Amino acid sequence: IAAFRSTAAVVMICSIVVGKFQKRIHRRALTYFSWWPLWNCLVVLLSASGGTSFGHFQWFSELKPYREVKGLQSYKDVNPAVVPGVQIQDAGLVEFSDGVDIDRAKGGCFVGGGHTYCVAPILYSG
């Protein structure tokens, strides 16, 4: 009977120690798994706002100017001796006919609003 009591006491002490240890691990796991969805939600929200900001930056700095120029008229084989400049003011892209050159001696530049605008007369030598 004495051996039984001592064995029961050892088993009881071991179960108390192991139970306390398991309880501490269980609390850590419970804390981790209860905060995980919140951290996951935070990362998703930060990623979505960062992606949206990057998309807006790309649109306004790269894509929007391209789309605006692409939406304008394009003219091919323009002869400046025949077609006045007023007629092609809505041009985004102008391809001149053969024999057209730029008079670089009479060109000029203007800087305004952070942009440089250059002008030069277009001559038809043909």
Side-chain angles (χ1 to χ4, degrees):
I1 290 191
F4 176 73
R5 286 187 181 173
S6 63
T7 304
V10 169
V11 168
M12 184 184 289
I13 291 172
C14 286
S15 65
I16 290 172
V17 170
V18 169
K20 290 289 184 182
F21 181 71
Q22 290 292 337
K23 192 174 186 180
R24 197 173 320 151
I25 290 174
H26 179 68
R27 280 187 188 156
R28 286 186 200 153
L30 184 63
T31 303
Y32 174 77
F33 285 113
S34 64
W35 282 98
W36 172 251
L38 296 175
W39 285 112
N40 195 12
C41 182
L42 180 68
V43 167
V44 166
L45 290 175
L46 287 174
S47 299
S49 65
T52 302
S53 299
F54 182 71
H56 278 271
F57 170 74
Q58 283 292 344
W59 170 254
F60 287 110
S61 66
E62 302 293 331
L63 299 174
K64 186 179 178 188
Y66 170 75
R67 297 270 310 221
E68 287 174 351
V69 170
K70 188 179 177 189
L72 296 173
Q73 293 291 327
S74 64
Y75 296 98
K76 294 183 180 184
D77 199 30
V78 175
N79 184 348
V82 177
V83 179
V86 176
Q87 193 173 354
I88 58 171
Q89 284 183 346
D90 62 342
L93 178 65
V94 178
E95 293 181 25
F96 293 100
S97 59
D98 292 334
V100 175
D101 200 10
I102 297 173
D103 187 4
R104 297 180 195 275
K106 296 180 183 175
C109 290
F110 169 73
V111 178
H115 298 284
T116 303
Y117 302 96
C118 294
V119 294
I122 299 170
L123 304 174
Y124 182 69
S125 60

